[in-house]
């Protein structure tokens, strides 16, 4: 009798634990400063006293000088338009990200 009650308690605990784990809301991806940049996006890069200013131009020319290769949580990898030089920029080295948009008529 004692074995049956121990097994029953164990099954109840496992069922309760699985219910709690599956009942939690899924983790939402956190937005960061780099969330406005996407892989393959054309950008400009300006060095301003050792810190970088990154510019995007939505609806504008495709050939801006660099393109985004990889967006990490704390870094950005860009490549020059010729595809020769890749630069990895840590987030602490980015001064600003400027996004220009063309007004629609």
């Amino acid at each position: 009798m004692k074995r049956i009650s121990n097994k029953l308690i164990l099954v109840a605990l496992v069922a309760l634990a699985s219910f709690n784990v599956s009942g939690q809301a899924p983790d939402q991806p956190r937005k960061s400063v780099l969330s406005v940049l996407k892989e393959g996006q054309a950008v400009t890069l300006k060095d301003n006293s050792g810190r970088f200013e990154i510019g995007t131009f939505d609806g504008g020319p495709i050939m801006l000088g660099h393109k985004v290769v990889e967006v990490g949580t704390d870094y950005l990898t860009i490549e020059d338009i010729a595809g020769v030089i890749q630069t990895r920029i840590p987030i602490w080295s980015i001064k600003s990200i400027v996004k220009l948009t063309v007004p629609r008529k």
Side-chain angles (χ1 to χ4, degrees):
M1 181 73 174
K2 195 170 192 172
R3 283 186 172 173
I4 294 174
S5 64
N6 286 344
K7 289 180 182 179
L8 186 59
I9 290 172
L10 181 64
V11 168
L13 288 175
V14 169
L16 184 62
S18 66
F19 177 72
N20 280 341
V21 171
S22 65
Q24 294 176 354
D27 291 337
Q28 298 293 330
R30 291 177 33 181
K31 286 199 166 205
S32 72
V33 174
L34 301 175
S35 64
V36 296
L37 300 173
K38 307 290 180 233
E39 291 181 16
Q41 185 177 16
V43 295
T44 60
L45 183 67
K46 279 177 31 180
D47 185 4
N48 190 355
S49 301
R51 307 218 30 221
F52 293 99
E53 184 177 294
I54 299 166
T56 66
F57 191 56
D58 292 348
I62 303 298
M63 309 290 272
L64 286 179
H66 293 85
K67 77 173 184 178
V68 177
V69 176
E70 182 180 5
V71 179
T73 56
D74 59 348
Y75 68 91
L76 174 68
T77 305
I78 61 169
E79 182 177 70
D80 67 338
I81 205 69
V84 177
I85 300 172
Q86 281 192 356
T87 306
R88 181 171 283 192
I89 304 169
I91 195 167
W92 52 265
S93 185
I94 296 174
K95 180 179 179 182
S96 64
I97 298 175
V98 179
K99 182 178 178 181
L100 299 173
T101 46
V102 177
R104 297 180 187 204
K105 294 180 182 181

